[in-house]
Amino acid sequence: MGRAERDQLTRTLNHHLNTVHETFQVLDQTAPSTLEKVSWVEVTKMGDQVSKQATIFGMLWTGGETPQVRALEENMVSYFNTLQGFLLLSHGSTVGAGPTLASCVHTSVKQVVDTSFKLWKESISLYGARNKDGKLSIPQWVGAVWEACSALKMTPATNITAIGRAMTKVAVSVKDVLREMKELKPASSDPTDESSIEPSTEAEIEPDDDEILSDGDLGNDLSPEEMRVSQLAIAVVSEALVVIKELIRTICGLLKLENPNGSSNLVDSLEKLLIMCKEIGIQIDELGACLYPPQEVPAINAASEKISSFVDDMQSELQNLNGNLEAFSQACNCLKSSLRQLESEVASPNTVDLETSVQNIDLNS
């Protein structure tokens, strides 16, 4: 009898899952501007209702007794009707949303849907079974729904907030690169330093495990010329970090200009700025990787030129917006000055001769 009831519940559940899945696919497309904008507050309130339905579901399984089929079916209808309403409100909240905000909404909503599906599918599969250990997992699945619904309150509600957070992630990445660059060290010239002593012929043939170069030693043998380039690159990355922070402050100052229904020109400009910010982050990564010996001068030049170009584009794009650009422009000027110093250094005869000498080493000598 338990098997027949489980099959019945499974069929009913599959119908609800398919319906929700079809509705969720609507979120793959941003809501048209002709629809009325739904505030994210309304979405989070409906998320609270989904959370309450999950609580009711969990209570049906308390006490170690298997719930009645009718009680489960009634809860199933109520749960998935609430979930459907949640999805429709979520779709309405994307009116005027750019790609970044729409992606944030989609990710948060998908987590609620995924945890709900898991809660019901796993629980129904246990119906009528004697697996008591499996039933002990139901509170964990309910808790996962709670967490997904609670996380909705942390989801950005505006394009500016979503893009600002995405830029903050770039700033964190740049800060990590800066920290790694500051760990670069010059080659030791102290004759008492064991690492500077030339190994014996025997050691060269069969080095001990402790003598094999580790990842932590890769940036510990820079020449004076390479250290000079590295210090200038560190200055560039430090200034780039300031530019990104000022960019975030600038766009946050535009929050009052954002139309709840979305201003396509403003959103387009913000998305372009985010793309440029990410591109600068990519070039910062490239620049950091080029500093390990032997330093790649052409790649350093290429990264520097691209960063300068993206900064120019950002300044041009921000001029189309009515924000306070004084601090941002000052940060950009400081970054450009650091870039010019770096480019001048890598173009100096000492740096060029160093690269040429490395390339012309006779490996047979």
Side-chain angles (χ1 to χ4, degrees):
M1 182 172 179
R3 175 66 179 273
E5 292 173 331
R6 183 167 64 250
D7 290 345
Q8 176 186 339
L9 287 168
T10 300
R11 287 192 296 271
T12 305
L13 175 61
N14 286 337
H15 170 73
H16 288 291
L17 296 178
N18 291 334
T19 302
V20 169
H21 179 70
E22 292 174 359
T23 304
F24 181 68
Q25 287 182 321
V26 175
L27 279 176
D28 290 338
Q29 301 294 328
T30 302
S33 58
T34 53
L35 292 181
E36 183 178 355
K37 172 76 173 181
V38 176
S39 73
W40 190 248
V41 173
E42 295 301 315
V43 178
T44 59
K45 288 181 179 179
M46 186 59 77
D48 290 339
Q49 295 302 313
V50 174
S51 183
K52 289 180 180 179
Q53 290 297 324
T55 301
I56 295 171
F57 176 84
M59 292 175 63
L60 293 176
W61 292 82
T62 58
E65 295 293 332
T66 300
Q68 297 294 320
V69 172
R70 182 174 180 180
L72 278 175
E73 288 182 333
E74 290 176 353
N75 181 233
M76 192 184 299
V77 171
S78 180
Y79 191 109
F80 284 99
N81 283 344
T82 304
L83 190 59
Q84 284 274 30
F86 166 74
L87 290 177
L88 293 175
L89 287 178
S90 298
H91 182 59
S93 74
T94 63
V95 172
T100 304
L101 176 58
S103 176
C104 292
V105 170
H106 189 278
T107 299
S108 296
V109 172
K110 185 176 186 299
Q111 190 65 17
V112 175
V113 173
D114 288 347
T115 54
S116 294
F117 277 24
K118 182 176 179 63
L119 169 65
W120 278 94
K121 290 168 71 175
E122 297 292 344
S123 300
I124 295 303
S125 69
L126 296 173
Y127 190 87
R130 297 180 180 180
N131 185 356
K132 294 183 179 181
D133 292 338
K135 294 178 182 178
L136 293 176
S137 299
I138 292 178
Q140 298 177 10
W141 300 329
V142 171
V145 176
W146 291 346
E147 291 179 5
C149 293
S150 179
L152 295 170
K153 297 178 175 63
M154 302 299 295
T155 302
T158 66
N159 288 290
I160 289 178
T161 304
I163 290 173
R165 289 186 186 179
M167 289 180 176
T168 300
K169 291 182 180 179
V170 176
V172 171
S173 176
V174 170
K175 192 173 182 180
D176 288 341
V177 174
L178 180 61
R179 175 182 53 78
E180 293 176 1
M181 291 171 66
K182 288 181 177 180
E183 294 175 355
L184 295 171
K185 299 177 182 178
S188 175
S189 58
D190 185 353
T192 63
D193 187 347
E194 294 181 0
S195 62
S196 65
I197 300 176
E198 294 185 4
S200 64
T201 305
E202 181 180 356
E204 289 178 353
I205 298 174
E206 296 183 8
D208 294 334
D209 291 341
D210 293 340
E211 294 175 343
I212 296 176
L213 190 66
S214 65
D215 291 341
D217 298 325
L218 291 176
N220 293 341
D221 55 353
L222 273 67
S223 68
E225 293 84 0
E226 290 173 329
M227 275 304 301
R228 172 63 179 166
V229 171
S230 297
Q231 292 299 326
L232 291 173
I234 288 173
V236 166
V237 177
S238 297
E239 296 296 347
L241 185 58
V242 175
V243 167
I244 294 174
K245 289 180 178 179
E246 289 300 333
L247 175 61
I248 294 171
R249 292 192 184 99
T250 301
I251 67 167
C252 286
L254 301 173
L255 194 58
K256 60 181 180 296
L257 300 178
E258 185 171 6
N259 189 317
N261 291 322
S263 171
S264 59
N265 291 336
L266 174 61
V267 175
D268 288 346
S269 291
L270 293 175
E271 293 289 351
K272 290 177 182 178
L273 288 168
L274 175 58
I275 291 173
M276 297 172 199
C277 183
K278 288 181 176 179
E279 289 294 338
I280 288 178
I282 292 173
Q283 295 309 314
I284 293 295
D285 286 341
E286 291 290 332
L287 182 59
C290 293
L291 297 181
Y292 291 94
Q295 291 180 342
E296 304 172 36
V297 173
I300 292 175
N301 273 322
S304 178
E305 291 173 1
K306 289 179 181 179
I307 292 172
S308 181
S309 177
F310 287 126
V311 169
D312 288 339
D313 291 343
M314 283 198 298
Q315 286 185 290
S316 177
E317 192 65 42
L318 273 175
Q319 287 177 353
N320 298 327
L321 306 175
N322 297 321
N324 185 358
L325 306 183
E326 182 177 354
F328 177 74
S329 297
Q330 183 178 355
C332 289
N333 291 335
C334 291
L335 173 56
K336 290 178 182 178
S337 176
S338 294
L339 286 169
R340 286 193 293 270
Q341 292 182 51
L342 175 62
E343 291 170 359
S344 176
E345 178 64 25
V346 296
S348 66
N350 288 338
T351 306
V352 174
D353 289 345
L354 174 65
E355 183 190 19
T356 303
S357 63
V358 170
Q359 293 176 348
N360 293 336
I361 291 177
D362 186 356
L363 297 180
N364 295 322
S365 61

